[in-house]
Amino acid sequence: MKKELIVLGIRGVPAGHGGFETFAEYLCPYLVEKNWQVTVYCQEDGSGPIYTSQWMGVNRIHIPVKNEAPLGTVIFDLRSVIHSLRFNGVFLTLGYNTAIFNILYRIFGKSNVINMDGIEWKRQKWSGIGKAWFWLNERFGCWFGNHLVADHPKIKEHLATRVSPDKIAMIAYGGKEVVSADADALKEYDLEQDKYAIIIARAEPENSILETVQAFSQKKRDAKLVILGSYTPEKDPYHRLVKDAASDDVMFVGAIYDTETVGALRFFSRFYVHGHQVGGTNPSLVEQLGAGGAVLAHENPFNRWVAGDGAVYFDSVVTASEEMDVLFSDDDYVSGLKEYSRNNFKENFRWEKILLQYEKLLEKYLPSSGK
């Protein structure tokens, strides 16, 4: 049986733009080694003809788009779907943001598996029009996909209000285990091992950045709070609120793209703060578990299922501050959290386990499988 996979919905491989790209970076070479023929559509800036290239045995189809995001992404997705109709394998669409275009796969009899990501239309950052677009496309994804993937039990429960549970597979997100790191990476930021907490998240209200900064800054602590990401207080009112609330011990180190540096900052931190209020199996949280990290997480069922007893939870500035008091002072408690996180990761979130689950699901929807 010829095993052919076509991947759409991402910017391309290797990863450079987010969780789905990282997932594809692991999945595609894995399947190539299992004798799959894999094609990935890649978005390029600018204009010009479509062209192809190879990466680790993966066929890449590059589509230049001159429009800026989000319009550019919509155009890229449409052109990718139309161009991909020439293939006869199983299609894997990562995200439902433009699922309306997937009706073409139904019309032309293609087998399409869609990873439905999180509940995007609930995110605070979107306008009314944006939320309506995502709400509609979530419905389109449920209708047009041959099978859906949810990366969290709560996402599966949500999707099951739209379609039969039999149409949904629950497969979590995976991560890389980090068992050692180069402590020299801390020198650039004048940090000491175990003397700082870390936040790695987009600077958006739903990620509880402001509440975390307020909680940390309520009192003098013999530690730092290190925040990764781009902050432009002169342009963004929320960024300005975060900056204004920060004490002198809060460090805004900017966006860091070097994976080894980020891994070291995770590995040597006292604990990681995960303030995400919505979503499924968040990649950044899984990566922290892979680094054996203690976690201070926002109290919600998404984070509870992923981090379990490797985290302590907050639902306000007051409770966040109280939990920080304990985390910065109790060495044995933090060690216990870290041990739980590492065991949790090994049991549930290793890439080897996740990729095998995807392979078995995709095989069921190959054209010759009869599905």
Side-chain angles (χ1 to χ4, degrees):
M1 181 175 64
K2 180 182 179 182
K3 296 189 289 187
E4 184 177 14
L5 173 69
I6 303 91
V7 180
L8 304 97
I10 59 174
R11 290 292 299 263
V13 290
H17 296 88
F20 271 147
E21 282 78 10
T22 300
F23 162 66
E25 184 177 300
Y26 281 96
L27 176 68
C28 295
Y30 168 86
L31 292 178
V32 168
E33 290 186 0
K34 299 293 188 73
N35 298 314
W36 284 69
Q37 181 177 326
V38 181
T39 298
V40 178
Y41 279 83
C42 304
Q43 182 177 348
E44 305 295 340
D45 295 329
S47 58
I50 295 174
Y51 63 96
T52 62
S53 69
Q54 285 269 327
W55 172 78
M56 295 188 67
V58 176
N59 302 313
R60 298 189 298 181
I61 298 177
H62 304 265
I63 299 182
V65 179
K66 62 182 179 180
N67 304 83
E68 294 184 357
L71 177 60
T73 300
V74 173
I75 294 172
F76 166 71
D77 287 347
L78 177 59
R79 292 182 66 189
S80 297
V81 169
I82 293 172
H83 188 275
S84 70
L85 293 173
R86 66 193 65 193
F87 295 105
N88 293 310
V90 57
F91 294 75
L92 176 61
T93 303
L94 298 175
Y96 64 79
N97 294 357
T98 55
I100 187 173
F101 304 143
N102 290 175
I103 192 174
L104 293 173
Y105 293 140
R106 281 291 190 179
I107 292 172
F108 286 90
K110 308 295 184 180
S111 295
N112 181 29
V113 175
I114 305 178
N115 184 310
M116 295 295 287
D117 199 10
I119 309 174
E120 192 68 26
W121 53 269
K122 284 191 174 182
R123 298 190 186 279
Q124 300 177 34
K125 65 180 180 179
W126 300 119
S127 66
I129 294 175
K131 289 182 178 181
W133 171 264
F134 288 119
W135 186 88
L136 286 169
N137 275 279
E138 180 187 82
R139 294 295 180 119
F140 291 141
C142 290
W143 296 335
F144 300 150
N146 295 84
H147 203 84
L148 311 178
V149 176
D151 69 7
H152 191 287
K154 288 296 181 181
I155 299 296
K156 182 175 182 178
E157 286 181 20
H158 168 72
L159 295 175
T161 65
R162 274 75 165 128
V163 295
S164 168
D166 295 337
K167 191 179 178 178
I168 311 165
M170 205 300 291
I171 306 177
Y173 189 85
K176 179 182 178 182
E177 186 174 17
V178 179
V179 296
S180 64
D182 185 359
D184 287 344
L186 305 184
K187 293 179 180 179
E188 180 179 351
Y189 306 100
D190 196 25
L191 292 170
E192 296 180 51
Q193 298 180 33
D194 211 41
K195 288 287 188 178
Y196 64 94
I198 189 170
I199 297 176
I200 306 174
R202 292 189 180 94
E204 298 169 354
E206 66 191 33
N207 292 338
S208 310
I209 309 293
L210 178 59
E211 293 88 339
T212 304
V213 169
Q214 289 172 332
F216 178 87
S217 301
Q218 279 189 351
K219 60 182 69 176
K220 183 67 177 177
R221 303 180 188 272
D222 185 25
K224 302 289 186 182
L225 176 63
V226 179
I227 301 179
L228 278 65
S230 177
Y231 284 76
T232 53
E234 67 280 0
K235 297 180 181 178
D236 190 303
Y238 183 73
H239 294 188
R240 186 163 56 252
L241 286 173
V242 172
K243 286 267 194 173
D244 289 346
S247 69
D248 293 340
D249 289 324
V250 178
M251 299 174 58
F252 295 89
V253 297
I256 302 174
Y257 298 104
D258 181 75
T259 56
E260 296 300 320
T261 300
V262 175
L265 290 172
R266 285 186 182 278
F267 186 77
F268 293 114
S269 65
R270 178 77 173 184
F271 61 92
Y272 162 79
V273 182
H274 189 75
H276 293 57
Q277 299 171 24
V278 295
T281 304
N282 182 270
S284 186
L285 180 53
V286 171
E287 288 169 9
Q288 193 65 29
L289 302 184
V295 177
L296 172 62
H298 182 271
E299 173 64 79
N300 63 67
F302 298 106
N303 296 338
R304 278 273 181 187
W305 183 81
V306 177
D309 291 338
V312 292
Y313 298 88
F314 71 93
D315 57 11
S316 67
V317 173
V318 172
T319 54
S321 181
E322 291 172 349
E323 295 296 353
M324 286 180 183
D325 290 344
V326 178
L327 289 168
F328 279 124
S329 62
D330 192 330
D331 293 345
D332 291 339
Y333 186 51
V334 171
S335 294
L337 295 174
K338 290 185 175 184
E339 182 179 4
Y340 182 95
S341 290
R342 192 166 294 285
N343 292 334
N344 179 22
F345 175 83
K346 289 179 179 179
E347 184 175 347
N348 298 303
F349 300 107
R350 292 180 299 108
W351 276 124
E352 295 88 342
K353 178 180 180 179
I354 303 302
L355 299 181
L356 179 59
Q357 290 177 288
Y358 266 94
E359 182 184 13
K360 289 181 177 179
L361 174 63
L362 293 170
E363 283 179 340
K364 294 179 181 179
Y365 287 91
L366 287 166
S368 58
S369 69
K371 281 282 185 179

